[in-house]
Amino acid sequence: MKMFAFHCGGEKTLRSVFDPFDQDCGATIHVPYFFYLIQHPDGNVLFDSGAHPALLDDPRSRLGDAADLYEIVMSPGDDVRSRLDSLGVDPEDIGHVVQSHLHYDHAGGLEFVQGATVYVQREELTFAYWPPVYQRDVYVRQDFDTVSRWKQLRGEHDIFNDGRLVIFPTPGHTPGHQSMLVRLESEAYILAGDAVYDKEKMQARCLPGLLWSPDAIIESWEKIEEMQRRYNARLIVTHDLHWQDTIKLGPQEWYE
Ligand SMILES: [Zn+2]
């Protein structure tokens, strides 16, 4: 089994998104986007699918007026098709996509992997189609309207029934947020999506600015820490500001 982490652009935003009480909360941070490919003997699995390539030239076409709120920084090639192509993987060979949640910076590639079964927690779909006003701008219906094969989960799910790829709910950022335990030969990892923005902030129990439920995210952090202890797993968070030092970047490098 191999796992690839693909960087696919990012955006500039305020540090307050990570922690509204940070002393430096008005500072600009450059947040990366990522998705991951796991090559399992029984099939290719994506964890998230990056942002839609139209955000590169015409973010308004996807985000509407909310495009003014984000400063998206994408270059040609920062999308799921291009990144898979860099590894010689055809999007048609992706059978499974696990979506941590359906925000635009995670679900924009779904349109390009239409042969795949898409795994979400049931609560996420309802929330994504009818979001409350405070998350209205982070869901783009076009991203997930193209999906024909949903697998709606209620709780944990072991994709290939071998304990290698286990999805588990980590609500808080959104009601249906989920993470995935990836047990490779040499080491275990937890792909945490946006359940955790910043590991130190999690340890200090500092709540992020973009949040559905503080109580749920605290419980999810406890769950993630328990999984880390149980499997001696390392944590990979999508918007890791230190990614250039911490992440093995595909396709040149990988985890196995
Ligand atoms: Zn995100």
Side-chain angles (χ1 to χ4, degrees):
M1 254 169 72
K2 282 185 181 176
M3 175 169 77
F4 293 87
F6 288 113
H7 176 243
C8 47
E11 68 186 60
K12 291 181 180 168
T13 189
L14 295 176
R15 190 174 286 279
S16 57
V17 174
F18 279 27
D19 176 5
F21 296 107
D22 191 291
Q23 286 195 327
D24 210 14
C25 64
T28 299
I29 51 174
H30 191 162
V31 175
Y33 299 161
F34 269 92
F35 73 90
Y36 312 86
L37 167 69
I38 298 105
Q39 295 185 311
H40 182 281
D42 291 340
N44 290 321
V45 179
L46 288 187
F47 184 82
D48 286 340
S49 53
H52 194 279
L55 296 192
L56 171 62
D57 298 319
D58 188 12
R60 189 163 281 277
S61 69
R62 308 284 299 184
L63 300 170
D65 289 345
D68 299 338
L69 303 174
Y70 313 115
E71 194 184 333
I72 289 165
V73 185
M74 284 175 76
S75 306
D78 285 344
D79 65 279
V80 72
R81 274 178 309 182
S82 308
R83 288 287 179 261
L84 290 176
D85 188 52
S86 72
L87 193 64
V89 173
D90 190 326
E92 289 186 8
D93 292 334
I94 302 294
H96 313 265
V97 181
V98 178
Q99 283 291 151
S100 64
H101 61 307
L102 294 171
H103 284 170
Y104 70 90
D105 53 323
H106 298 257
L110 284 173
E111 177 185 329
F112 308 103
V113 284
Q114 292 199 28
T117 298
V118 181
Y119 299 72
V120 288
Q121 293 293 320
R122 175 175 297 219
E123 294 85 347
E124 184 65 15
L125 262 188
T126 322
F127 195 74
Y129 271 102
W130 296 281
V133 64
Y134 60 90
Q135 290 209 9
R136 192 181 51 197
D137 294 331
V138 279
Y139 286 105
V140 174
R141 197 176 275 206
Q142 291 156 279
D143 285 342
F144 40 87
D145 244 355
T146 52
V147 175
S148 53
R149 284 189 230 171
W150 291 109
K151 188 162 178 74
Q152 296 185 47
L153 305 175
R154 283 177 144 173
E156 248 180 61
H157 182 76
D158 182 341
I159 299 179
F160 296 116
N161 273 314
D162 59 359
R164 297 268 171 204
L165 298 174
V166 182
I167 301 166
F168 61 100
T170 46
H173 182 60
T174 68
H177 192 285
Q178 56 187 5
S179 301
M180 187 162 74
L181 173 70
V182 181
R183 294 176 72 191
L184 302 174
E185 292 302 322
S186 63
E187 205 154 11
Y189 294 87
I190 292 169
L191 299 177
D194 288 4
V196 182
Y197 277 144
D198 181 303
K199 295 174 205 176
E200 286 172 12
K201 296 281 185 195
M202 173 180 76
Q203 282 155 12
R205 297 295 190 254
C206 292
L207 296 167
L210 179 56
L211 185 63
W212 165 68
S213 163
D215 299 293
I217 207 165
I218 298 286
E219 264 186 53
S220 292
W221 287 346
E222 288 170 358
K223 170 80 179 168
I224 286 169
E225 288 171 347
E226 181 207 318
M227 297 284 273
Q228 280 188 276
R229 285 192 296 272
R230 194 188 313 167
Y231 297 100
N232 195 20
R234 293 175 58 185
L235 193 59
I236 295 182
V237 304
T238 300
H239 301 307
D240 183 353
L241 297 180
H242 310 293
W243 63 274
Q244 293 181 77
D245 302 319
T246 57
I247 300 295
K248 291 184 185 178
L249 210 57
Q252 292 85 5
E253 290 186 284
W254 60 85
Y255 301 82
E256 64 184 338

